[in-house]
Amino acid sequence: MSGPDHRRAEALLALGRPRDAVALLETVPDDGAPGVAHLRLRGRALRASGRVFDAEAAFREALSLAPGEPGLRADLAATLHAQGRHEEALVHAQEACALQPDVYAWHGLRGVIADVLGRRAEAAAAFAQACALAPGDAEVRVLLGWHGLQAEQPAVAEGAFRAALGLAPGHAEALHGLARARLAQGDWEQARGVWLDALAVDPRLRDAALDRARTFGTARWRFVRALAGTSRAVSLGLGALAGGVLAGFAAAPGALLLGGSFLCLAAAPPLARRAVSGRWM
């Protein structure tokens, strides 16, 4: 395939028209087999169009021609990751990083895959390496932030998302992540404000937990949030107390009223937890 055809296919892919790029690249010339560059571009177009198994075949054919090419390893890793074959994907991502350790995007990919597999230490190391290689890249900080949330380290996540916003103010996914980090730390009101900022940038964002924060993240719901945070032991204790009052003082005139009051107090925290957690929505 000629150079201009490759450039046209790359342009179609960049414009979000992967199917058109695939159609163009499938017109293989008659004077020989497709080369590595053609197969790699075709694999990327196939993956972008959702044909991840055809993309895998293209990348594997390219690797048979250039087995030491780290970029092809990374492409194959991303494709296997898209298929849900995370163990295999991680092996190829590790190989890509070992072959060419100065490409930050490949360390980021390794971190994402390791996180899916629950390998938090490897993911953290990969994201740290990516951040060191690309100190001015906001996307890597966003990945590090989501890693922090998955590792239940919301303060670490918040720092990463704030760093991303320092590099790219108004970054929708960084705002999204920062809202989640604030919510994980119990700051419903700030989480609500940041989430509204994220939706103002990109209204297509979806997050059920933060949508609940839009409702319950205002001052008038503070009492309900406080009830939701009450321990289950307190609720059980109040319930037991109510039962004791009703059983032990059934003949007393105020026993029913007193016991019923304790029952209401015992039921309030579970009801608040259900409302705030969205189990009624």
Side-chain angles (χ1 to χ4, degrees), residues 29-47:
D30 296 329
D31 56 352
V36 173
H38 172 85
L39 288 166
R40 186 175 188 182
L41 184 56
R42 182 170 181 270
R44 289 179 170 177
L46 286 164
R47 186 175 64 211

Side-chain angles (χ1 to χ4, degrees), residues 107-167:
H107 291 284
L109 174 63
R110 178 167 66 98
V112 169
I113 299 169
D115 249 347
V116 171
L117 292 168
R119 301 184 184 182
R120 305 297 184 211
E122 180 171 0
F127 290 131
Q129 183 69 11
C131 288
L133 289 168
D137 189 89
E139 299 297 336
V140 172
R141 272 79 193 165
V142 171
L143 291 176
L144 177 60
W146 287 110
H147 161 75
L149 287 175
Q150 291 176 2
E152 298 183 351
Q153 298 174 325
V156 172
E158 179 177 353
F161 289 128
R162 289 194 184 279
L165 288 166
L167 294 167

Side-chain angles (χ1 to χ4, degrees), residues 188-201:
W188 283 72
E189 293 179 30
Q190 189 177 35
R192 179 182 185 275
V194 177
W195 180 231
L196 290 173
D197 289 341
L199 290 174
V201 176

Side-chain angles (χ1 to χ4, degrees), residues 56-78:
E56 178 190 353
F59 290 131
R60 288 195 184 279
E61 186 177 352
L63 276 168
S64 71
L65 300 174
E69 171 56 46
L72 288 172
R73 293 283 174 191
D75 277 322
L76 181 56

